[in-house]
Amino acid sequence: MSNRHSLKHLPSYKSLADVSYTACIYTVAGVALLILLGPVVIMLITSLTDGQSLRFPPTGLSLRWYQELFSARSAPIHQAAGNSLLVALMSSLVAAVLGCMASLVIARSRRRGARVVDALFMSPLILPGIAFGLAALVYFTLIGLRPSLILITIGHIVMVTPFVLRTTGASLAQLDGTLLECSASLGATRWYSFRRITLPIIFPGLVAGSFMAFMASIDNVPVSLFLSSPRSEMLPIRLWGMMESTLDVRIAAVSGIFIVSVLVLMLAMERLVGLSRRLND
């Protein structure tokens, strides 16, 4: 009788365990979302304050600091933003070329050296950024080069190329080698086969990696901190200095523009190339 009684109540125990597990998962997910999205929401609300300093909650809501951001008083911010956009654009373009070429070589080679090359290209993701920035400053100083936009671009290329390499390599895994063999047997050159077969297959991964490289470059602090000069000031460094000196509300306005811009770009990239799927490959 006792066994029957325990078996009779077994389903209720299972359902209670399922409910507890689901509640635990949703609670952890909710806390994670709160930690991730809370600072973003706070920054957006703070950027709409009508006060004279960074304060949350704001005493009132206004767009005055966004208007102030586009005034002549914010010319240094405009110059720093232009430098950051230029470096990020050049870095992502060069990283797209280098990452694509490296992924093609690594995917086609079966030698141990290919794995070594892959590890070398991916090493910037393992090495702390501040360590690389300091090492780059010491190296360029030893060979007689002074900090400039060109050196910042070179440093950013090294840091962001792994993003392109990884997403492009994942797309290359979907390429059937027999397609290239058939193309070669029909007399097509390697360039023609690449342009008509390989490139269309890896293009979504290449675009996704280039987008991630662009975002990583424009938000890079360690390399920009060591390789920038007064004439080549980058936006993150400019905002950092403003936070240390005045806590200007325009910092929140710049952050608000970045948050909205990144959200729009990520939605566009998700629609065009499936960004989340490319990053998970």
Side-chain angles (χ1 to χ4, degrees):
M1 292 294 293
S2 61
N3 291 337
R4 292 181 180 179
H5 183 73
S6 61
L7 291 174
K8 182 178 179 181
H9 290 81
L10 186 58
S12 62
Y13 294 148
K14 287 185 176 180
S15 61
L16 180 61
D18 292 339
V19 171
S20 301
Y21 175 78
T22 303
C24 181
I25 292 297
Y26 277 102
T27 300
V28 173
V31 172
L33 287 176
L34 181 62
I35 294 174
L36 292 174
L37 298 181
V40 175
V41 175
I42 291 175
M43 182 58 66
L44 287 175
I45 297 176
T46 304
S47 68
L48 298 174
T49 184
D50 60 354
Q52 296 293 328
S53 61
L54 289 171
R55 180 182 178 182
F56 184 85
T59 56
L61 299 180
S62 173
L63 293 175
R64 58 171 293 193
W65 294 108
Y66 285 93
Q67 297 174 353
E68 185 73 17
L69 188 62
F70 291 97
S71 65
R73 176 172 169 259
S74 301
I77 299 179
H78 301 163
Q79 181 178 1
N83 291 338
S84 293
L85 289 174
L86 177 62
V87 170
L89 182 60
M90 296 301 298
S91 300
S92 58
L93 289 177
V94 176
V97 176
L98 293 178
C100 180
M101 296 173 62
S103 62
L104 289 173
V105 173
I106 294 172
R108 292 175 180 177
S109 178
R110 295 295 181 267
R111 298 179 180 178
R112 176 178 293 183
R115 307 283 77 82
V116 175
V117 172
D118 183 41
L120 289 175
F121 269 96
M122 299 303 298
S123 60
L125 295 181
I126 304 174
L127 184 69
I130 193 168
F132 174 78
L134 178 59
L137 175 62
V138 173
Y139 172 75
F140 288 132
T141 302
L142 289 176
I143 63 177
L145 299 178
R146 296 181 178 180
S148 63
L149 283 179
I150 296 178
L151 297 188
I152 296 175
T153 304
I154 295 174
H156 283 205
I157 290 171
V158 175
M159 296 295 295
V160 304
T161 299
F163 294 101
V164 182
L165 178 63
R166 185 52 63 215
T167 56
T168 306
S171 298
L172 274 174
Q174 305 174 5
L175 177 62
D176 189 355
T178 57
L179 294 177
L180 299 178
E181 294 176 1
C182 292
S183 178
S185 64
L186 294 174
T189 61
R190 289 189 175 183
W191 169 246
Y192 185 86
S193 298
F194 171 78
R195 184 167 52 90
R196 298 299 299 271
I197 299 176
T198 306
L199 185 59
I201 293 177
I202 68 173
F203 185 75
L206 184 61
V207 173
S210 300
F211 172 74
M212 294 301 299
F214 179 85
M215 299 309 302
S217 174
I218 205 170
D219 192 39
N220 186 282
V221 172
V223 176
S224 302
L225 177 64
F226 285 103
L227 298 182
S228 63
S229 65
R231 295 184 178 181
S232 59
E233 189 177 37
M234 307 295 286
L235 185 59
I237 309 304
R238 180 69 187 180
L239 297 181
W240 189 3
M242 293 172 64
M243 288 186 63
E244 289 185 335
S245 58
T246 60
L247 287 179
D248 199 316
V249 186
R250 290 178 297 173
I251 301 172
V254 174
S255 301
I257 293 176
F258 264 104
I259 291 170
V260 175
S261 301
V262 170
L263 178 60
V264 172
L265 289 174
M266 289 190 67
L267 291 176
M269 294 299 296
E270 181 66 27
R271 183 68 180 272
L272 293 174
V273 299
L275 180 62
S276 60
R277 180 169 59 86
R278 298 295 170 183
L279 295 179
N280 292 327
D281 287 341

